[in-house]
Amino acid sequence: MKYKSLPPFAPVLLESMRAIGYDAAAAVADLIDNSITAKATRVRIRFDPGLPRAMALLDDGHGMDEEELARAMRHGSRNPNDVRPEDDLGRFGLGLKTASMSQCRRLTVVTRKDGRTHGMMWDLDLVEREGDWVAGVLDPGDIELVPFVSYLLEQAHGTLVVWEKLDRLAAGDAGDGSILSERIRRVEEHLALVFHRHLTGRPPRLVIELNDYPVEPLDPFLEDEGAMAGPKERILVEGQRVFLRAFTLPHISRLTRAQIEKAGGEAGLRRQQGFYVYRNQRLIVWGTWFRLFRQEELTKLTRVRVDVPNALDHLWSLDIKKSAAFPPAVIRDRLRSLVPTMVRPSRTIHEYRGRVTGTGRVQPVWTRIEDRDGVRYEVDLNHPVVATLRLSAEDGHLSEIDNVLRAISASLPVEAIYNDRANDRVGLRKEADDGEAVAAHLEELARQMLSAFADRPAERERLLAGLGNFEPFALYPSLVEQIQKRLS
C-alpha cells in the first residue's frame, strides 16, 4: 500500500472552521477560559461602541514567551487526550483560533512575560492570498499599532487578544455600533451566568469588566436568596469524583421581579429546570434533564448542580465550544435514580405553596373537596380568619355572611387561574410588598381575630403564637414576628 500526504488547503479549511457554531457569547467565553488557565484575576473587554472596528480582551495572566505564543497560535496545538492540570479549561488546542475567527477575519495576540513582549496574527485575507498556513509575527513597530495595546504595555505580564475585521460580530451594523453594543449586552449576560462561580466571593477569584463596568455574577440557584439546598451526592467514575447537589428555588410568590429575571424569567422558570453541569466550576450546559426526566410544572423549581473534573471530558462528549456535554451511561444510571428524590421538594412547594411553619403545615383559606363529581374548592369556614368573622357576626347576619362565602366559593375562576399558573403569571411578588400598607392590613386582621377570643386568653395566646401557620400571614413570614411582638 502506498501512502500520500494530503494536507488541508489552508484558506478553505479556515473558512470552513468559522462555521463550527460559535455565537459571540460562546466565543468570548472560550477566550476567558484561556485567561483563567493562565491564572488571570482580571479580564478586561474593550470595544468602541461608536466605532465597531475592533474588540479586545486583556487579562493579567502569566503571559507567554515567544515559543508558547507560537504554540498557542498553531491550530490543534494540544492533544485532547493529554492529562491536564485540574484547573485547565482547554482541551482541543483550537479554542483561541476557532472562537476568534468565528467572529472576525483578523486575530492578533500580543503577550508579555518576563519583561518581553511578543505578538502574532492570523489574517484570513493573508492566508487566502498566500494559499498557505501563514501567520504574521509582529515586530515592535507592528505591536505599537495594535488596537488597545497600550493597556497591555502598562502591565508587567498578561495577554491581549484583538479581533479586527468584525465581519461576523458586527454584521449588519450601520457604523454607529448599535448592533455591536446589543450583541455585547448578550455576551455580558452569558458571562455572568457561565462564570458566576468564578465571579463570586470576597474578593472574587476573577473580575470581568466590559469597558470598565464589572460583570455581576448571575447565580441560577439563588443560593443567597432563599433557595433550599439538598445534600451533596457523590458518584465515582474511573477514580474521579462527580459531585451533585439539588437546589429548590423559592416559590414564585416569594420572589421579586428581579429575582425571577435572575432565575431565567417567568417563562424560563420551567425551561431552565434540570441539571447544570460545571467543568472546573465553569458552566458548560444547563436547563436539561438529559432525557432522564420530563420538564414538568411541579418540578420547575429544581436545579441540580453537577461538578465534573476535566479528566472525564472524554466520557461527557464535550464539544469544541465547551457548550454541550452528555453524561456517560454509568453517570446517567445514577442520575436517573436520584432525580425523583431531587425534584420532591419542588413538588411539595407547589402542592403546599412552599409555606411550612413549625411542625404543622399552613392552613389555607380555601379547602379542597373531592367527590364523585370531581374536585372543587370552597372557603374553609373553620379557618381562623373566617371563623372570627362568623363569631363576631351580630344576630341575623350570620346567614348573610355564609351566603356571601358560598357565592365566592361557587364563582372561583378555576380555569383562568390554571391558565395563568401554567404561564407563571400568578403570585408574582411585588418588589416592596412587605411595606407599611401590608403590615398595617395584617396587624388589623390579627387584632380582629384575637378580639373574638378576648374572654378566652389561653386560646387567644395559642392563636397568636400560631399566626404564621395561617393564610394570609404565612405569605409574609418576615412580618409575622413583628405583629406577634406588638400584639402579645
Side-chain angles (χ1 to χ4, degrees), residues 97-110:
K97 287 76 66 177
T98 55
S100 299
M101 293 304 184
S102 72
Q103 304 301 312
C104 69
R105 296 189 64 81
R106 178 186 291 167
L107 161 66
T108 304
V109 178
V110 183

Side-chain angles (χ1 to χ4, degrees), residues 189 191-193 195-201 204 206 214-220 225 262:
E189 294 174 352
L191 300 182
L193 175 63
F195 295 104
H196 75 92
R197 294 171 75 179
H198 292 85
L199 299 172
T200 304
L206 179 68
V215 175
E216 298 295 333
L218 187 62
D219 177 14
E225 300 177 67
K262 182 181 290 189

Side-chain angles (χ1 to χ4, degrees), residues 8-20 73-75 94 97-98 101-102 104-105 122-128 131-135 168:
F9 186 48
V12 174
L13 182 59
L14 289 180
E15 288 289 349
S16 300
M17 291 176 65
R18 304 187 77 196
I20 283 179
M73 293 293 276
R74 180 182 296 115
H75 289 75
L94 289 171
K97 287 76 66 177
T98 55
M101 293 304 184
S102 72
C104 69
R105 296 189 64 81
W122 277 110
D123 189 320
L124 293 182
D125 297 325
L126 173 64
V127 172
E128 185 174 353
D132 201 357
W133 298 90
V134 178
R168 300 282 179 85

Side-chain angles (χ1 to χ4, degrees), residues 6 107 222 439:
L6 296 174
L107 161 66
L222 303 182

